[in-house]
């Protein structure tokens, strides 16, 4: 089994992994031997702090080992194909995770790999993030509530999240400027779960009564050439104290991080009481990926 998108991960498998993550965190044992002798190979075409380190700690906590290879120092930078790379890495490791610019490159890699492949973020989705996001939502008891994603609701994080949240029956609201709408195919897939999924361009209307507000950067990796336009268009969608006041008083704030403080989120919000959840969310990357690695390698 691969994890290339949340879209292709069956609902019951997704929930099983999230429940396992919650259980692993409660147990808190960081010295397990479940994956002794297993090797995780991670490929990075773009930068990472959380994904890389949480995957490494996750495999170490389970008794396995980790090898990270970035594109620049590998033969990929000199033209070796993804297919050949996949064939070779499958002879060394038991599972491969990859952070790539394009989903199509990930699919190429997965097609020729003979071990499970995990999407560690592409332009289309960030499924590992969504697992940790929903773990956090559940830990705070908000999985039956209203989740508002504000900002670039067509990005990788939003795509994976809207589907994962809809599968729990949350009321999902996607809030962005009307000419930066969420992706139709993801909104449709989220609605197909039976959940209420709204698209709203007015931030005040969107966040009214929210239980969870999620935001992410306006300029994802690879979109740097659109920076000027995006900063202008998304400015009214900043998550600030004034906007947060319209949500429920115990609303939790989520952000996948890294945050661009003063852009999509203010210091006041990120350092405030409602955003304590952000640091739990970052920690949960490790537990969710432990659960995922167990699912992929133990069965
Ligand atoms: N949230 C997340 O994926 O962070 P990194 O880019 O630091 O891995
Ligand atoms: N949407 C962001 C997420 C970073 C973790 C990006 O792709 O840059």
């Amino acid at each position: 089994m691969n994890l290339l998108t949340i879209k292709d991960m069956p609902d019951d498998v997704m929930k099983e992994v999230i429940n396992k993550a919650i259980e692993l965190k409660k147990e808190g044992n960081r010295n397990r031997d479940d994956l002794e002798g297993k090797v995780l190979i991670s490929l990075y075409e773009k930068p990472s702090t959380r994904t890389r380190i949480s995957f490494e700690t996750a495999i170490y906590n389970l008794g396995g080992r980790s090898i990270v290879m970035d594109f620049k120092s590998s033969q990929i930078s000199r033209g070796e194909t993804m297919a050949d790379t996949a064939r070779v890495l499958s002879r060394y490791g038991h599972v491969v995770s990859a952070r790539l610019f394009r989903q199509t490159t990930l699919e190429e890699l997965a097609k020729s790999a003979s071990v499970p492949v995990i999407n560690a973020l592409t332009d289309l989705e960030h499924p590992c993030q969504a697992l940790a996001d929903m773990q956090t939502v559940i830990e705070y008891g908000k999985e039956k509530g209203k989740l508002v994603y504000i900002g670039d609701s067509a990005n990788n994080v939003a795509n994976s999240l809207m589907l994962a949240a809809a599968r729990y029956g949350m009321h999902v609201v996607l809030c962005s400027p009307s000419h930066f709408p969420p992706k139709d195919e993801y909104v449709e897939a989220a609605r197909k779960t039976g959940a209420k999924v709204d698209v709203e361009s007015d931030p005040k209307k969107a966040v009214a009564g929210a239980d969870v507000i999620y935001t992410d950067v306006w300029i994802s990796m690879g979109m740097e050439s659109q920076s000027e336009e995006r900063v202008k268009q998304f400015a009214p969608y900043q998550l600030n104290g004034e906007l947060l006041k319209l949500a429920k008083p115990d609303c939790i704030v989520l952000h996948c991080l890294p945050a661009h403080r003063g852009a999509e989120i203010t210091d006041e919000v990120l350092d405030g009481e409602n955003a304590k959840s952000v640091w739990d969310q970052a920690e949960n990357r490790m537990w969710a990926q432990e659960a995922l690695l167990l699912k992929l390698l133990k069965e």
Side-chain angles (χ1 to χ4, degrees), residues 52-251:
R52 174 178 167 171
I53 304 302
S54 59
F55 259 116
E56 292 206 71
T57 41
I59 191 90
Y60 291 141
N61 289 346
L62 295 169
R65 286 165 288 172
S66 159
I67 298 169
V68 177
M69 182 169 91
D70 68 66
F71 268 35
K72 280 198 198 102
S73 62
S74 77
Q75 295 290 6
I76 301 169
S77 68
R78 297 182 59 251
E80 187 166 18
T81 67
M82 287 314 290
D84 289 348
T85 305
R87 289 182 190 111
V88 171
L89 296 183
S90 299
R91 299 291 180 103
Y92 302 137
H94 302 90
V95 55
V96 171
S97 81
R99 168 165 288 197
L100 306 167
F101 280 106
R102 281 188 282 275
Q103 183 75 18
T104 48
T105 315
L106 182 73
E107 281 158 13
E108 239 177 276
L109 177 78
K111 217 160 86 189
S112 298
S114 53
V115 297
V117 174
I118 301 170
N119 179 352
L121 183 149
T122 63
D123 56 346
L124 187 69
E125 279 212 32
H126 196 359
C128 296
Q129 181 68 53
L131 297 176
D133 296 342
M134 291 316 298
Q135 178 184 350
T136 314
V137 168
I138 293 167
E139 285 174 349
Y140 277 87
K142 307 287 185 193
E143 73 278 16
K144 294 284 165 246
K146 173 178 174 183
L147 179 146
V148 181
Y149 182 97
I150 186 163
D152 182 7
S153 56
N155 81 9
N156 42 16
V157 168
N159 291 341
S160 298
L161 176 76
M162 75 172 90
L163 202 48
R167 284 179 179 172
Y168 281 95
M170 294 190 83
H171 173 197
V172 178
V173 181
L174 302 154
C175 182
S176 51
S178 41
H179 45 290
F180 284 94
K183 284 189 173 52
D184 285 340
E185 52 165 312
Y186 276 88
V187 174
E188 275 163 31
R191 284 186 178 143
K192 250 194 202 146
T193 64
K196 188 166 183 239
V197 181
D198 293 326
V199 176
E200 172 61 64
S201 57
D202 180 339
K204 289 187 177 141
K205 277 192 199 154
V207 304
D211 297 283
V212 181
I213 305 180
Y214 200 121
T215 192
D216 179 19
V217 293
W218 297 332
I219 302 138
S220 287
M221 291 177 277
M223 291 182 177
E224 290 75 12
S225 63
Q226 302 170 33
S227 297
E228 207 180 314
E229 170 70 1
R230 282 178 166 264
V231 167
K232 226 188 294 160
Q233 297 297 334
F234 284 103
Y237 295 81
Q238 180 187 66
L239 180 53
N240 52 38
E242 204 187 318
L243 200 62
L244 185 60
K245 273 195 205 128
L246 304 175
K248 286 195 183 145
D250 64 346
C251 170

